[in-house]
Amino acid sequence: MRTQRWIHAIVGSLVFAAGGAPAVASDSFSVDDLRCEDLVNPVGIDAAKPRLSWRMEAEHHGAAQTAYRVLCATSPELLQEGAADLWDSGRIETDRSRHIGYGGKKLPRGVRCHWTVRTWNEKGDASDWCRPGSWTTFDMTSSGDWKAEWITQSHKGSATPWLRRSFQLEDAPEKAFIYVNALGYFQLFINGERVGSDEFAPHVGQYDKRTFCITYDVAKYLRQGKNTLGFWLGSAWNRRGAGVKTTPSVRAQLEMVDAGGKATTVITDRKWRAKPSSMSHTGGWKWNDFGGEVHDGRLDEPTWANPDHDDSAWSPAAPGNVSTSAISAEMLQRSRVIETILPVKVERVGAATSAPSWLVDMGKAMTGTFEITFPKAPKGHEVSMEFGDSIGKGGRLNSFRQASIYICRGSGTERFRNRFNYASCRYIRITNAPEGEITPDDIKGFLISTDLPRAGTFRCSDPTLNGIQEMTEHTLRCLMLGGYQVDCHSRERQGYGGDAHSSLDTTLCLLRSDAFYRKWTRDWVDQQEPDGGLTYTSPASSHGGGPFWCGFLTAATLKHYHHYGDLSMVERNYPAIKKWLELAQSKTVDDLQQKFCGGWYLGDWASPQGIDDKKNAEIFIQPYMCHALEQAATLADVLGKNGDAATFRRWARARGEATHQKFYDPQGGKYGSGDQVTYILPLAAGIVPEALKDGVFAGFENTLREKNKGHLSTGLSGTYMMVQYLQGIGRDDLIHLFASKTTYPSWGYMIENGATATWEHWNGKASRIHNCYNNIASWFIQGLAGIRPDPAEPGFKNAVIRPAILDDLSQVEASHDSVYGTIRSHWKREGNTITMNVRIPANSTATIHVPATDTGSVAVNGRPVDAAPHVELVQVQDGRVLLQVESGSYEIVSR
């Protein structure tokens, strides 16, 4: 092992795998988790030479890949040596198992590429060929590539129309793919059957710059004879805010090939028929007015997409008014129902003599749709539904004008179901309900989120921290519908950079978000102004922020690289980052930042002192820009752009010196007002002279412990920067001091007051399903459990395991599902003995920081350090014994 490489990783983190002493494992191994562009069997990707990845699965110590061979073919049967008709990589001597570029024949649209891989291990043994994966391509990335036309109902028609077209097939197709490019939301039907499990497709983008195409494999839905394609369209960001303003429109191309090789194409054009559906929208699709839907049961036509449905009275489809832009595949997981939630309480409220009203408590916060069955009622009877996240004084529902209406059909089952609008809420108030009972069995809530796999788990001996972890993960799920992350879905639905920045590390720790951030940071790049300016929100740009908001692009690019090792995203985003910082530098006077990114110029936000901490804005912004420049310099280092890196660091030094000169108070030993944030930001940004650091930090600690009684005085931005800084210098005891509080202001205070999702403000005002304070959960994984990526070997090729062993905790157990496999970390304290159990996945390694002052007090798998197999001593430093370990499970005892 390369000892020098491990010393570079000392600043990293620590991990333990639960489960006691490791069992003896055989040397068998296999290959699993095949991914193309980090997706499982994607259909319709727009990468001409996609990148392939896999995992090595093995339990024995030191398991590592030394070579691989990839086969690609047009059918699974051809995945044999000497038969693969698309690509045979041959044996490649390398330990790389991530982002291996496809090197085979060009794949035409509609041809499925099947692939498999085998690997050789550290002993030269070969694995079996793994279970095959597959992908298909999408190559209509400009409007000139399409035969299909944009269509809509009419330019002044329904916001949720039905469109359909019937056609004849001589034979059922052997292969059939449909390519759907839509503005607004759509649901696709073939012969009356809904295609796919997507909800609110496509994802949100900046539609004047880029629209998305979704590809479906639909051969199983088609048959010989008459067939019908149907689209149910819905309004969304096509109405306003995402660069366009148009009626819901679709362009689709169905390409089929039968067993005899005959090709047939059906496209959207003016031969299609259109009709208003039984759904319409309410609200303006804007701030505090996202409304809901009107479902008119009288207009339901369950057979509207069936081949035998009579559409003779329908109108011809109208041409869609859509301008040309780039067309991309979404290239990330879709929004789907990830949980069905039943109410915990349904009670009748209001006067007994009035029309029935009901209050529904779903038991926890959620974002999604609802299915509500009502008692029988006269035709035309209107039922109102209001959706809110909390109940205020006098029983007022905090709804942000989220409301829907159901109009009864007067026969059969009376059932409301959302189609193209959703609610972010916990409670539903139903008014003017039909006479009769409504029970919990009559109501279902469908939690909808971008379906990112879970990547992190955490439990410890402190129930408050466990509750915060559960609340935070659930909040993230509630805020990720649509392929981006919002501040809140109830009032704004904006992808705010400030909120995204503060929850960045938590999202990376808890959710598999490699494809997610590749898509979302591209939205930010798409929106960059010619002068380099970045918006505060993306997509659907509007509203305010400050440098911390725009700086999300820089932070996300760097942290994503550390977690996933994806250099291509750094290469793509770096020019936009550089251009933004050059704009910022052009707006400096005497090395101090002036306003350069719009009218708002926020520092910390949503602190206990007030929504906008104006008095400390400059003390936040000036150091933060130094911090952003250092992050950009690190990205320049990664790309080998030494001149840029030196320039960014020179700018940062000059700004730091100017900030210190202007804002430091030598009498008080502080910056600005002396609040927590004004101590932390100068320290975190490295602008405090070395001789003053201890004094400034002592001032911070005294402020936290004495003035604020161990509570936070920071908001969205300041709390994030403080947690990151304290974790980085090993003062996890101070993080635990405020993280474990249950009194105001704290996460525990939210839980004590019934929260199941985090709030917009510490005092509970405004939204109660919000992204302001979700940064703390990254500390559970990276700090307490100690699982962190190693910047020198990004993507967890080498993990750095540095747990925070705190006096107030007796044990911590966590995991992180890295791209190489699951890293597990468990430590417990019994008297003066610390026992750590660590699991490192195959084909990766780890640097483990063991709390001990000498190697003699440490045993690894029952042996002294110098006699433990697969373990190398790096050094003893600052009360830690640093061990470099190969893959496998380790029990480490420190006495």
Side-chain angles (χ1 to χ4, degrees), residues 276-356:
S277 75
S278 57
M279 304 293 290
S280 59
H281 63 75
T282 64
W285 203 271
K286 60 183 180 180
W287 188 91
N288 205 40
D289 189 24
F290 283 94
E293 292 179 283
V294 177
H295 179 182
D296 192 338
R298 300 169 300 179
L299 303 179
D300 282 344
E301 295 184 32
T303 65
W304 72 269
N306 290 357
D308 57 359
H309 187 82
D310 182 5
D311 62 10
S312 59
W314 291 32
S315 302
N321 182 24
V322 179
S323 60
T324 305
S325 64
I327 306 130
S328 296
E330 287 189 332
M331 302 283 280
L332 78 158
Q333 295 83 356
R334 305 276 167 73
S335 291
R336 295 191 173 94
V337 175
I338 63 170
E339 183 182 356
T340 299
I341 301 172
L342 303 179
V344 296
K345 187 176 183 181
V346 178
E347 62 175 340
R348 185 164 177 166
V349 294
T353 57
S354 61

Side-chain angles (χ1 to χ4, degrees), residues 17-23 813 826 828 835-839 861 889-892:
E813 180 175 358
H826 180 213
K828 63 180 179 180
T835 302
M836 305 189 304
N837 285 283
V838 180
R839 181 186 180 275
N861 291 341
S889 296
Y890 299 87
E891 182 180 76
I892 303 170

Side-chain angles (χ1 to χ4, degrees), residues 176-187:
F177 293 91
I178 187 169
Y179 305 91
V180 183
N181 187 201
L183 279 176
Y185 295 136
F186 75 87
Q187 292 180 355

Side-chain angles (χ1 to χ4, degrees), residues 96-165:
R96 283 188 60 207
S97 59
R98 291 270 299 141
H99 294 163
I100 305 300
Y102 170 70
K105 297 177 182 178
K106 182 178 180 180
L107 285 170
R109 183 173 72 248
V111 173
R112 189 180 297 276
C113 178
H114 302 269
W115 69 289
T116 186
V117 63
R118 79 183 319 174
T119 64
W120 285 261
N121 71 2
E122 73 284 355
K123 296 180 180 179
D125 299 329
S127 71
D128 293 333
W129 291 101
C130 69
R131 183 178 179 179
S134 67
W135 80 85
T136 73
T137 61
F138 161 72
D139 57 6
M140 296 186 292
T141 55
S142 68
S143 287
D145 299 325
W146 288 73
K147 297 177 182 178
E149 303 171 11
W150 284 101
I151 61 171
T152 186
Q153 188 211 342
S154 73
H155 297 309
K156 296 183 180 180
S158 168
T160 53
W162 291 318
L163 296 95
R164 55 175 274 140
R165 184 185 172 188

Side-chain angles (χ1 to χ4, degrees), residues 294 298 377-384 405-408 431-434:
V294 177
R298 300 169 300 179
K379 185 176 182 179
H381 182 90
E382 291 193 14
V383 185
S384 297
I405 295 171
Y406 177 71
I407 304 174
C408 297
T431 57
N432 199 37

Side-chain angles (χ1 to χ4, degrees), residues 545-560:
F548 185 81
W549 278 245
C550 308
F552 164 72
L553 179 63
T554 306
T557 303
L558 180 61
K559 296 296 182 76
H560 182 277

Side-chain angles (χ1 to χ4, degrees), residues 365-391:
M366 61 168 286
T367 296
T369 59
F370 293 87
E371 182 179 277
I372 304 175
T373 302
F374 298 106
K376 294 187 181 302
K379 185 176 182 179
H381 182 90
E382 291 193 14
V383 185
S384 297
M385 293 154 283
E386 185 183 14
F387 304 87
D389 60 19
S390 61
I391 300 173

